[in-house]
Amino acid sequence: MTDAAEGRITSLTNSKDDTPSKPVSEKSSDHGTEALKDITFGSIAGVIGKTIEYPFDTVKVRLQSQPGTLPLRYQGPLDCFRQSLRAEGITDLYRGISAPLVGAAIETSSLFLSYRIAQNALQATMFPPTNGDPLPLGALIACGGASGAFTSLLLTPIELVKCQMQVPLSPSSVQASRPLSIIASVFRHHGILGFWHGQLGTLIRETGGSAAWFGSYEAVGALFKKHNARYTLSIAKARKEDTLPLYQQMLAGATAGVSYNFIFFPADTIKSRMQTEEVNAGGQVRKTFWVSGKALWQQQGIQGMYRGCGITVGRAAPSSAFIFAVYEGLRGWWG
């Protein structure tokens, strides 16, 4: 969504608006409607994306949360898939999906909603719109980081339950822990703040990852817009057509998914180990983010930090592509 003269980018949620200004009450109503769209469309997109990626996420968590003692239980993603399917079939790979589906709806809707709010805040303060000019890419990346920081607060408790459900109680166990029993155990032993164990890892991953997620999508989308404009007969027509073709939306979304997951993957690995250490240790042992990270580095080095990264990046590309395509499609359909 490029303005060639100024190098600015029309963002995912804020497009140019040359219409006359509206009364305050009407603007408030518009903001409420847009927020409802972000929540509804983001939730639908998140649930679809999570359903696609969940088996791969289960494998990723099991690879990340292996104890530091050798030999490792799983030799790699394919071995983990094979053992999981042999143990309980495909249902084993969808173990604990109830909490992540709720989490995906909350996470994705929160990301899109807070991304819009951050943009509105910047436009009201540091980057007042002039003639409908959109925010520059750097500002959009900052908005993405802010949306991730906010979303991490909502996401950590859900991921705590999800990770503990995904990890078997023992090598021979196929019995899944139930969400309510995990919630009760965490509250009984650690209180309400116990649900935010691993928050620092989630904060690092979500803040940096969301900045990369939205930034990559906006940047790739801008390149596609610029490319499309060159092959459009009328510049006015190119500016009017604000929506990318489906395949370009999905390519931009896939790039965003890869950027989100690869750059800050070590923070996610440490977070997963922190949230599953009680299951692996069979007790109520809890370590800080830095202690867990140091121990992992000493035991397994950089390889341990990126264990499960390949399968995570591989599943993130199609999942993120569908998330953006569904979100953009619903927004385009409903206006």
Side-chain angles (χ1 to χ4, degrees):
M1 307 174 186
T2 305
D3 187 327
E6 299 182 6
R8 290 173 174 261
I9 297 173
T10 302
S11 76
L12 174 69
T13 55
N14 283 342
S15 58
K16 285 193 176 184
D17 186 2
D18 297 324
T19 57
S21 60
K22 299 178 180 179
V24 174
S25 59
E26 190 172 346
K27 286 183 178 180
S28 299
S29 177
D30 288 346
H31 286 314
T33 301
E34 293 303 311
L36 181 60
K37 289 179 181 178
D38 287 334
I39 293 171
T40 303
F41 300 157
S43 296
I44 295 171
V47 167
I48 292 174
K50 181 57 66 177
T51 303
I52 293 171
E53 73 172 34
Y54 192 75
F56 303 96
D57 185 64
T58 298
V59 171
K60 184 257 309 184
V61 170
R62 291 179 180 178
L63 290 172
Q64 287 178 326
S65 59
Q66 295 182 93
T69 56
L70 297 176
L72 297 174
R73 180 180 175 188
Y74 306 113
Q75 300 306 311
L78 292 179
D79 182 52
C80 186
F81 265 117
R82 184 163 45 248
Q83 291 192 41
S84 300
L85 291 173
R86 186 182 300 127
E88 203 175 350
I90 190 66
T91 57
D92 189 51
L93 293 173
Y94 277 95
R95 172 184 292 185
I97 194 174
S98 55
L101 285 179
V102 175
I106 293 174
E107 177 186 16
T108 312
S109 60
S110 173
L111 282 172
F112 284 118
L113 175 61
S114 53
Y115 185 54
R116 175 183 298 281
I117 292 174
Q119 289 181 72
N120 291 338
L122 282 184
Q123 288 181 326
T125 54
M126 299 175 62
F127 297 95
T130 304
N131 298 324
D133 286 342
L135 292 171
L137 179 59
L140 295 174
I141 292 174
C143 290
S147 71
F150 170 75
T151 301
S152 71
L153 295 172
L154 307 177
L155 199 57
T156 300
I158 296 170
E159 291 208 346
L160 177 71
V161 175
K162 180 210 75 168
C163 287
Q164 293 197 13
M165 289 186 69
Q166 287 176 312
V167 177
L169 298 176
S170 67
S172 60
S173 173
V174 296
Q175 181 65 36
S177 301
R178 297 184 178 277
L180 291 181
S181 66
I182 293 174
I183 293 171
S185 175
V186 172
F187 184 76
R188 182 170 59 253
H189 291 99
H190 306 290
I192 191 67
L193 293 181
F195 291 100
W196 277 268
H197 184 57
Q199 168 62 26
L200 180 57
T202 310
L203 176 66
I204 294 172
R205 185 198 70 192
E206 288 296 311
T207 302
S210 296
W213 197 56
F214 283 113
S216 297
Y217 184 82
E218 301 284 12
V220 174
L223 291 176
F224 278 133
K225 286 281 185 178
K226 187 175 182 179
H227 174 270
N228 296 344
R230 292 177 180 174
Y231 296 94
T232 303
L233 296 178
S234 169
I235 295 179
K237 181 181 179 183
R239 288 180 177 273
K240 184 178 180 181
E241 294 177 352
D242 193 49
T243 304
L244 293 172
L246 178 60
Y247 79 94
Q248 291 183 350
Q249 290 177 6
M250 297 190 76
L251 284 174
T255 303
V258 171
S259 300
Y260 170 93
N261 283 277
F262 180 77
I263 299 174
F264 293 93
F265 192 81
D268 183 64
T269 300
I270 297 170
K271 188 269 307 178
S272 293
R273 287 175 66 90
M274 290 176 65
Q275 293 182 328
T276 58
E277 61 194 354
E278 295 177 31
V279 178
N280 288 323
Q284 307 304 324
V285 180
R286 286 198 159 188
K287 300 176 183 177
T288 65
F289 179 85
W290 302 113
V291 170
S292 295
K294 181 180 179 181
L296 177 60
W297 178 263
Q298 291 175 340
Q299 292 165 1
Q300 302 177 28
I302 190 67
Q303 183 179 2
M305 291 286 185
Y306 277 92
R307 177 165 285 115
C309 182
I311 193 171
T312 301
V313 170
R315 56 89 171 167
S319 173
S320 187
F322 273 98
I323 286 175
F324 278 106
V326 170
Y327 177 83
E328 294 273 34
L330 289 172
R331 273 203 160 270
W333 180 266
W334 292 100

